[in-house]
DNA sequence: CGATCTTTTGAAAGAGGTCAATTGAAGTGG
DNA sequence: CCACTTCAATTGACCTCTTTCAAAAGATCG
């Protein structure tokens, strides 16, 4: 009797909300990506739309000299890789071993009628991506390091929908590239939140966090 | 014999690309906003869709303590205020005296059929907003101050489509809030670009810029 | 169990922010 | 139209937050 099966437990064995996106049942495959493997690259043609069955994916852009900005983390249940254009505007990689459902783009967007059939549902998806990007723009442009880390924890707490322990699938470097910081700064901010009694680390690795004081944490989320 | 009439000269006297957005001719009004006046606020209901006839608009989000992040500048020809949801996710203000065409939201989105009719065209618009937000995310997360200012000048050079003089309608404070910097830093970066021979100021105010070396400028645009 | 990767922490450096002064432009009212 | 005030932009000096560099401890993986 899990508290929330919303994201983690699909009701149907081998399909998903990709049907809902298309507006009709579509043929889906499943695929497993090992950790660190690229799923698609920036500028590549959009061939498939994905939904995460288990695991985590990062989508990111890179500058020529290697600076990386992670645009979003995709968690179980999330649909990603959906573009209204023909080319991916960023790359996507599995952070941990990740299982996805995928369906060919043309199953969703009718080549003859353009996006007409699914336009409404794709619009909803693109809109929620835009909303996320706008909130993140505010964070990157105007928040301090500790505010960024607090916002990240609150986002993950919400999206991982785990009642007690926050099990972060990504490493400090990923968090840093998401928040526009360096990994040392992320580590220092987490340590400060720990020292202030807002969170604590459990287990052997430092990726399992208990939020002791969500109220105090939320105060950083101006 | 203007070089580009694309943005500045509508072919029809009192309507605009808002027709194209709706997919059929819609009733448009014209309206004038004085400089500094708010056009709509964050969280307000979406009542109208706008196109800029002349002038410039900033859309922005604010934090509780007054920190502001400008998400975008809207220039003549740009459509803004279009949301697929019912509420504005940010505020919009006229930077200078601004004339707009506007049409009621329900002229474009059919209440009965949802967004169905215009979904495809709104999707294009939302997608291009998302693309802009993503590029800006990379800038805010990973670029230095001079790279940000260079990117801003290149964006304005492109969008203002002015062959020689770049007439910036916004002040340093606006540029700063767009680039995630302070106005003094923007000023210093511009001075450095001037000292490097990449640009020069003309006229009495410092908002008229000539780009002397677009190639060198582009080198900052990694 | 040794090698590699991840994270933390300290010390020093640096980029950008803050504060302040100055200059210049623009708007206002007599 | 001009004095006056206010607003905008630049520049300098100093400060702070974040980055950089380095070391060490801890975790993970063959």
């Amino acid at each position: 009797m899990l508290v929330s099966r919303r994201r983690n437990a699909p009701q149907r064995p081998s399909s998903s909300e990709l049907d809902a996106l298309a507006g009709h049942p579509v043929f889906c495959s499943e695929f497993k990506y090992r950790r660190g493997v690229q799923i698609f690259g920036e500028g590549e043609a959009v061939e498939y739309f994905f939904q995460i069955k288990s695991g985590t994916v990062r989508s990111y852009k890179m500058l020529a000299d290697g600076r990386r900005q992670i645009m979003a983390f995709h968690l179980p249940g999330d649909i990603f890789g959906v573009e209204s254009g023909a080319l991916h505007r960023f790359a996507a990689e599995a952070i941990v071993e990740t299982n996805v459902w995928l369906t060919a783009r043309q199953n969703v967007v009718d080549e003859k009628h353009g996006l007409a059939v699914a336009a409404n549902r794709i619009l909803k998806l693109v809109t929620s991506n835009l909303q996320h990007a706008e909130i993140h723009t505010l964070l990157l442009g105007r928040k301090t390091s500790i505010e960024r880390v607090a916002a990240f924890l609150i986002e993950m707490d919400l999206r991982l929908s785990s009642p007690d322990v926050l099990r972060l699938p990504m490493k400090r470097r990923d968090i840093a590239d998401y928040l526009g910081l360096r990994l040392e700064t992320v580590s220092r901010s987490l340590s400060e939140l720990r020292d202030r009694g807002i969170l604590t680390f459990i287990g052997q690795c430092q990726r399992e966090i208990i939020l002791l004081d969500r109220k105090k944490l939320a105060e950083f989320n101006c």
Side-chain angles (χ1 to χ4, degrees), chain A:
Chain A
M1 308 310 116
L2 295 177
V3 169
S4 168
R5 296 181 64 86
R6 188 171 53 87
R7 287 190 171 282
N8 296 310
Q11 301 313 309
R12 286 169 297 151
S14 80
S15 191
S16 68
E17 279 119 79
L18 291 171
D19 286 358
L21 182 66
H24 54 81
V26 291
F27 177 74
C28 288
S29 304
E30 298 194 12
F31 204 83
K32 181 199 295 276
Y33 294 94
R34 305 220 172 278
R35 95 192 198 99
V37 168
Q38 189 171 78
I39 300 171
F40 53 78
E42 188 172 346
E44 285 184 6
V46 178
E47 294 186 84
Y48 302 103
F49 291 169
F50 302 85
Q51 186 184 20
I52 297 190
K53 199 176 159 188
S54 67
T56 306
V57 169
R58 60 183 170 231
S59 40
Y60 62 92
K61 281 175 175 287
M62 298 256 307
L63 293 174
D65 62 1
R67 281 176 282 178
R68 183 180 69 164
Q69 178 62 44
I70 292 180
M71 319 302 291
F73 293 112
H74 307 291
L75 303 175
D78 289 355
I79 289 175
F80 73 97
V82 176
E83 309 259 3
S84 62
L87 301 179
H88 286 293
R89 292 189 303 266
F90 39 73
E93 282 175 10
I95 287 182
V96 295
E97 182 165 294
T98 298
N99 290 287
V100 300
W101 292 287
L102 71 169
T103 191
R105 177 178 187 266
Q106 56 261 37
N107 288 342
V108 179
V109 309
D110 188 334
E111 285 301 341
K112 285 174 190 160
H113 312 90
L115 297 159
V117 187
N120 223 313
R121 294 188 138 113
I122 290 183
L123 176 58
K124 277 208 173 59
L125 208 58
V126 173
T127 297
S128 83
N129 290 345
L130 176 57
Q131 182 167 6
H132 181 265
E134 287 164 351
I135 291 168
H136 209 56
T137 294
L138 180 61
L139 178 145
L140 293 172
R142 285 290 171 243
K143 291 193 179 179
T144 65
S145 59
I146 200 158
E147 288 168 349
R148 295 180 199 205
V149 172
F152 170 75
L153 291 171
I154 290 168
E155 181 188 355
M156 286 301 138
D157 186 35
L158 196 71
R159 293 181 57 206
L160 289 169
S161 60
S162 46
D164 45 327
V165 180
L166 204 53
R167 276 188 191 79
L168 300 176
M170 68 290 286
K171 41 190 136 180
R172 300 291 185 262
R173 173 74 200 272
D174 293 318
I175 301 174
D177 284 354
Y178 180 58
L179 298 178
L181 300 170
R182 321 264 34 178
L183 66 93
E184 296 93 332
T185 306
V186 171
S187 178
R188 274 184 250 270
S189 297
L190 286 169
S191 297
E192 185 174 344
L193 291 170
R194 179 201 55 202
D195 296 347
R196 291 201 194 199
I198 291 172
L199 59 81
T200 188
F201 298 107
I202 58 165
Q204 46 277 62
C205 87
Q206 302 291 72
R207 303 224 197 133
E208 301 191 340
I209 292 174
I210 295 180
L211 299 181
L212 299 171
D213 194 340
R214 286 185 168 80
K215 203 178 152 206
K216 261 199 218 166
L217 185 65
E219 283 169 19
F220 287 98
N221 204 201
C222 38

